[in-house]
Amino acid sequence: MKNLRLKSARAALDLSQQQLADAVGVSRQTINAIEKGDYNPTIRLCMAICRVLDRTLDELFWEEE
Amino acid sequence: MEHSMGMGLGLGVLTGVAVGLLFVVVLFKMKVLDMTFDERQKRARGQAFAWGFATLVICVAVYGLSDAILGHWIDVLAACILCVCIAVTVFAIVCIRKDAYLSLKERPRRIMLLFAVLAAVNLALGAIYIRNGTLVENGMLTSRACNPITGIMLLVVLAVYAAKYLRDRKETEE
């Protein structure tokens, strides 16, 4: 399932996928895969992304009902 | 005489391996090669290793069967290199498709240039052996086939990576 909340949170801070990837220490393709729903990140990576985007885990990664 | 030729070949192989290892160490020191992968890449590489291992097992089995049925059509060393190169090619292609071939710190152009140079050198050696008539002797591929086999492997990996790199760049621009 696509993670559009992550994409919009990243866009809100005017960050490219590469910039977010560099900030959390992963490849751009990994960020792309998370946003497309092709990869489920570990909790550690989720937390690192939340820290950079200043959002909570629920806001970015909890499944929408 | 055959014993001394075998020893000479063995020493030559050991020297080649030692030089190759030294070359790799130098590349790591120069930060051309690196092994820092993120969690997604590590998982993808794990899957690629499984494919590569399965390919290696199949190749070795096919070589063994072919040797038993057809007779000695390839030198043992060349057969080992052929099996390993096919397995490594499968591993590399799976990694490339999953964006897990190059690490976070490796530069694509530098690596591809290195591959191109190594492929060219090995293929050139293969061409020399073909011209000298030493690649095939008595209907059997000799140990000299190791160079063109390695060259072809590097060329295939380079071609697959270049195609993916260009496609990804086009998608990023769109």
Side-chain angles (χ1 to χ4, degrees):
Chain A
M1 206 167 68
K2 285 188 181 184
N3 194 331
L4 297 169
R5 287 175 291 170
L6 171 57
K7 193 172 180 176
S8 60
R10 178 175 60 77
L13 291 176
D14 203 25
L15 285 175
S16 65
Q17 285 184 338
Q18 185 64 62
Q19 286 171 324
L20 178 58
D22 291 341
V24 299
V26 298
S27 62
R28 185 198 64 78
Q29 290 85 353
T30 297
I31 298 295
N32 187 47
I34 295 170
E35 288 183 359
K36 284 167 75 175
D38 291 338
Y39 176 67
N40 285 329
T42 59
I43 194 74
R44 186 179 290 180
L45 180 53
C46 288
M47 285 167 64
I49 292 170
C50 287
R51 245 179 256 124
V52 170
L53 298 180
D54 196 28
R55 298 288 175 99
T56 64
L57 282 170
D58 280 355
E59 282 174 325
L60 293 183
F61 296 104
W62 194 254
E63 278 183 7
E64 286 171 344
E65 289 177 25
Chain B
M1 174 137 167
E2 276 187 26
H3 184 66
S4 62
M5 274 173 68
M7 273 190 68
L9 178 65
L11 275 170
V13 168
L14 277 172
T15 308
V17 168
V19 167
L21 279 172
L22 188 64
F23 185 55
V24 167
V25 166
V26 166
L27 288 176
F28 268 101
K29 291 276 183 200
M30 286 169 59
K31 310 264 189 230
V32 176
L33 292 181
D34 179 77
M35 295 296 281
T36 313
F37 297 99
D38 67 32
E39 56 180 55
R40 183 195 60 83
Q41 289 175 318
K42 283 180 192 168
R43 198 168 90 171
R45 287 175 74 85
Q47 291 165 345
F49 271 117
W51 279 99
F53 177 72
T55 304
L56 183 63
V57 169
I58 291 167
C59 283
V60 167
V62 167
Y63 162 65
L65 272 170
S66 68
D67 193 76
I69 295 168
L70 303 171
H72 295 307
W73 61 275
I74 186 170
D75 173 76
V76 174
L77 179 63
C80 291
I81 295 294
L82 180 64
C83 292
V84 167
C85 282
I86 292 171
V88 168
T89 304
V90 166
F91 164 78
I93 289 173
V94 173
C95 280
I96 289 167
R97 287 190 65 199
K98 294 181 184 228
D99 294 309
Y101 191 63
L102 295 189
S103 77
L104 299 175
K105 295 175 187 168
E106 284 171 344
R107 299 283 157 253
R109 287 186 189 185
R110 228 188 257 184
I111 299 294
M112 291 306 114
L113 181 65
L114 178 66
F115 274 38
V117 167
L118 289 174
V121 166
N122 279 287
L123 290 173
L125 281 170
I128 290 169
Y129 296 146
I130 290 171
R131 210 175 65 167
N132 290 350
T134 50
L135 190 69
V136 180
E137 286 175 359
N138 301 321
M140 190 176 91
L141 267 174
T142 65
S143 57
R144 288 185 173 83
C146 294
N147 289 109
I149 288 168
T150 307
I152 290 167
M153 175 195 73
L154 289 165
L155 203 60
V156 168
V157 171
L158 182 61
V160 171
Y161 188 82
K164 179 108 188 9
Y165 182 79
L166 291 171
R167 198 173 72 214
D168 285 351
R169 208 170 71 170
K170 195 178 165 193
E171 276 176 11
T172 311
E173 282 165 10
E174 285 167 9

